[in-house]
Amino acid sequence: MSDLAASGADVEEAVFAATTDDVRAACDVFKPIFEASQGFDGRVSIEVDPRLARDAEGTKKMARELYERVSRENVMIKIPATVEGLEPIAKTLAAGISVNVTLIFSLTRYREVINAYMLGLEEALENGKDLSKIHSVASFFVSRVDTEVDAQLSALGTDEALALKGKAGVANARLAYEVFEEMFSSERWKRLERKGANVQRPLWASTGVKDPALPDTLYVTGLVAPHTVNTMPEATLNAVADHGEVVGDTVRASYAESNEVLDAIERAGVSYREVVEKLEAEGLSKFDASWEELLDTVRGALQNAK
């Protein structure tokens, strides 16, 4: 901060410099894992300014700037899965840049995200890019679905509604995996795969249990399947290490049951569409609030350094 203050950097420039420096250093730390896993792991994400979540052109521009400034092959540019974010996701991938698509709640939006991924790879192929070097994850948020659905089920208060608490998050994520299996077995995908493309891995985010009545490893042991990534908070990581029981695939045999859970929640009076729309709006607000906090912290550090 002292160096940035001395150079006359404003708060936006300072945040850009500090975060890209940190992520570049983290990429170097994880480089051995990146190399040992042929590029699948050892990845570090850096987010586009969340205030651009509804600005397609601004997102595309900043995604490229972040990638060029970090200048490491194992960086992933994090872009929210808003409607306005779909084109920037595809265009960033088309430029050969790996993308972490974040803030996914709905199954419909997830299909659109996978479509954007394939569009990006198809354009990357036309641009002469090596598809084997392009990676992506699709971050599906889990616990926030239960938090919102369970609050509405509790408000309804019927025995039927209360019996469904703690089930929506896992069911929604499992059905997302069904979408993943369907779309990544299509002829369209197979054509890309023959050109060296990698599947976009489902990433389970927000996997810390918010309700103490639920098992603290629920969103880990209940979501085990091939190609998935689970970004656990530290408390969840420690809980899984201490007493988590991983018994193999807990997703692919559950599609019918998961559909019935979501159908039952709808019948009980909780609208799936309204829930996912609310969660996306709240998620963007939380991203904005965190970003403003970062700006305030850096602003104060710059002033103290002068």
Side-chain angles (χ1 to χ4, degrees), residues 128-144:
K129 302 294 183 183
D130 181 352
L131 299 192
S132 70
K133 300 288 188 182
I134 303 172
H135 288 257
S136 183
V137 292
S139 299
F140 220 88
F141 283 51
V142 185
S143 68
R144 293 187 196 178

Side-chain angles (χ1 to χ4, degrees), residues 162-177:
L162 296 176
L164 293 166
K165 288 180 64 175
K167 295 183 178 180
V170 168
N172 196 43
R174 286 172 171 171
L175 292 175
Y177 196 84

Side-chain angles (χ1 to χ4, degrees), residues 29 44 76 89 112 147 168 217 274 294:
V29 169
V44 186
M76 275 188 165
I89 288 164
E112 294 170 341
T147 300
T217 63
E274 290 176 6
L294 173 62

Side-chain angles (χ1 to χ4, degrees), residues 169-183:
V170 168
N172 196 43
R174 286 172 171 171
L175 292 175
Y177 196 84
E178 183 180 32
V179 172
F180 165 79
E181 286 203 305
E182 174 196 330
M183 294 190 72

Side-chain angles (χ1 to χ4, degrees), residues 151-301:
Q152 294 192 33
L153 291 171
S154 294
L156 289 167
T158 64
D159 289 344
E160 176 195 17
L162 296 176
L164 293 166
K165 288 180 64 175
K167 295 183 178 180
V170 168
N172 196 43
R174 286 172 171 171
L175 292 175
Y177 196 84
E178 183 180 32
V179 172
F180 165 79
E181 286 203 305
E182 174 196 330
M183 294 190 72
F184 285 98
S185 60
S186 66
E187 283 305 314
R188 180 188 184 190
W189 172 250
K190 288 174 183 175
R191 286 194 296 272
L192 288 165
E193 192 173 41
R194 286 193 289 270
K195 298 292 186 179
N198 305 294
V199 296
Q200 182 185 53
R201 298 165 79 184
L203 183 151
W204 310 130
S206 185
T207 55
V209 173
K210 307 295 191 293
D211 182 349
L214 298 174
D216 55 3
T217 63
L218 175 64
Y219 304 129
V220 180
T221 58
L223 294 174
V224 179
H227 303 295
T228 55
V229 181
N230 195 309
T231 51
M232 297 174 237
E234 186 177 12
T236 305
L237 185 68
N238 290 334
V240 173
D242 179 62
H243 53 266
E245 294 185 19
V246 178
V247 294
D249 188 331
T250 53
V251 173
R252 289 186 287 186
S254 68
Y255 298 150
E257 176 190 348
S258 298
N259 268 306
E260 176 51 34
V261 166
L262 294 192
D263 288 347
I265 289 170
E266 195 85 27
R267 288 195 302 271
V270 178
S271 167
Y272 179 85
R273 180 183 59 80
E274 290 176 6
V275 165
V276 295
E277 288 177 357
K278 180 181 180 183
L279 289 172
E280 180 179 300
E282 287 180 350
L284 290 174
S285 295
K286 289 176 181 178
F287 281 176
D288 285 345
S290 294
W291 194 262
E292 290 299 332
E293 185 180 347
L294 173 62
L295 291 173
D296 286 344
T297 301
V298 172
R299 189 177 291 112

Side-chain angles (χ1 to χ4, degrees), residues 35-52:
E35 292 178 340
S37 65
Q38 288 77 53
F40 281 90
D41 296 316
R43 294 268 173 182
V44 186
S45 294
I46 185 166
E47 65 182 320
V48 168
D49 183 336
R51 295 171 300 180
L52 298 172

